[in-house]
Amino acid sequence: MRRRERLNQILSVIVGHGSMDVEALARQFDVSHATIRRDLELLEQQRLVSRTRGGATTHSAFTDMPLNYKTAQDLDEKRRIAHEARRQVQGARVVGMTGGTTVAEFAHLLLDHEGLTVVTNALNVALHLLDNPRLRVFVGGGELRSSSQETVGHNTESFFTQYNLDVAFLGVDGVDASAGCTNYDPAGARANGELLRRARRRIVLADATKIGRLALAQVCALSDVDVLITDERAEQGQVERIREQGCDVVLV
């Protein structure tokens, strides 16, 4: 396993558990204690984790997994989800899009689309869509999160209230049958929740690693989501409980 991939997975494990010790990480990744300590030192320098006696915990400044860490993870599954999302556009004229790596993969598939208006708070999504001059793109202002390249805050939320959307595509950090859709960043959760409320049809894009995960702040209940697109690795019990909330689940 390359170091970058190991760093991605170590950070995911620490975020998922809240904290981990060196011995458990070394055993899980089959590397020496010294290697794990060096990895944790690098993650601490990036203000992603805080070292503790014998391990690490998430950094106090942590709000979300950095985009460069998330982009390389589960890429094949994210691309399959993106292709299904493109089919779900279904003649919509105005769509809303949050940030997130899976949503960004979906945006790549809109470069041959015509007659579509996109409303988003994700700068990376908006800049990518500019490669297609046949798309109209509206971008919300606000505080820019370096981790997700999304704008958040009152200005972003107010921006979303100006638009009526045919369909919204949301990327989230966690999907749980009881807790609903959640994000690590409370401000981002509020902005994305406002985008969702402006849409007639609401679709969440989340690979299987997000299913059953609970992040800090709720974006919405699953009863507010029309379709969840995930991959076939998703735990079947969670999938069935999500469907019981009235949300259609598409496995790809």
Side-chain angles (χ1 to χ4, degrees):
M1 181 185 295
R2 295 180 179 177
R3 191 185 192 195
R4 178 176 177 180
E5 182 181 355
R6 188 176 64 249
L7 288 167
N8 288 349
Q9 295 190 21
I10 288 172
L11 181 56
S12 294
V13 169
I14 293 173
V15 169
H17 289 83
S19 65
M20 288 290 289
D21 59 58
V22 169
E23 182 175 354
L25 289 169
R27 187 168 56 250
Q28 180 168 343
F29 293 98
D30 194 26
V31 295
S32 69
H33 289 197
T35 296
I36 291 295
R37 290 191 184 98
R38 287 193 294 270
D39 288 345
L40 294 179
E41 182 179 354
L42 179 58
L43 292 172
E44 184 175 47
Q45 291 171 359
Q46 296 173 351
R47 294 169 58 85
L48 299 173
V49 305
S50 295
R51 298 290 300 277
T52 62
R53 184 178 178 84
T57 185
T58 51
H59 196 282
S60 59
F62 179 90
T63 56
D64 193 7
M65 293 274 285
L67 205 63
N68 65 310
Y69 276 82
K70 294 189 285 188
T71 298
Q73 296 178 327
D74 306 290
L75 188 56
D76 288 343
E77 290 80 9
K78 290 173 181 177
R79 285 174 174 167
R80 294 203 304 271
I81 291 168
H83 279 278
E84 176 60 30
R86 188 181 189 280
R87 286 189 283 272
Q88 296 279 343
V89 173
Q90 295 179 342
R93 303 291 293 178
V94 183
V95 304
M97 300 169 66
T98 68
T101 54
T102 309
V103 177
E105 288 297 328
F106 166 53
H108 293 170
L109 303 179
L110 296 180
L111 293 183
D112 61 352
H113 212 92
E114 294 189 25
L116 192 66
T117 297
V118 178
V119 178
T120 185
N121 65 327
L123 266 64
N124 61 320
V125 168
L127 290 172
H128 184 75
L129 292 175
L130 287 179
D131 288 339
N132 181 353
R134 299 181 300 279
L135 298 177
R136 298 182 72 197
V137 182
F138 293 83
V139 186
E143 180 186 357
L144 181 61
R145 288 284 196 253
S146 60
S147 60
S148 63
Q149 299 182 22
E150 291 175 297
T151 60
V152 300
H154 174 73
N155 287 343
T156 306
E157 296 164 35
S158 178
F159 163 79
F160 282 144
T161 65
Q162 302 174 51
Y163 299 94
N164 297 309
L165 311 174
D166 295 317
V167 58
F169 294 91
L170 275 73
V172 298
D173 295 316
V175 181
D176 179 81
S178 299
C181 298
T182 54
N183 278 354
Y184 290 117
D185 180 11
R190 289 192 295 272
N192 293 353
E194 188 59 53
L195 174 70
L196 180 132
R197 282 187 286 274
R198 302 305 302 173
R200 291 189 297 135
R201 183 169 169 81
R202 302 150 180 182
I203 300 175
V204 169
L205 313 182
D207 69 77
T209 64
K210 311 287 181 61
I211 309 305
R213 180 186 293 177
L214 183 64
L216 177 62
Q218 187 185 59
V219 177
C220 63
L222 282 167
S223 57
D224 296 325
V225 177
D226 295 297
V227 180
L228 165 66
I229 307 176
T230 187
D231 65 85
E232 56 191 10
R233 300 172 301 163
E235 198 272 315
Q236 190 59 35
Q238 274 282 341
V239 170
E240 292 305 320
R241 289 191 292 275
I242 290 170
R243 285 173 170 152
E244 289 171 1
Q245 302 298 316
C247 175
D248 183 24
V249 180
V250 177
L251 300 174
V252 298

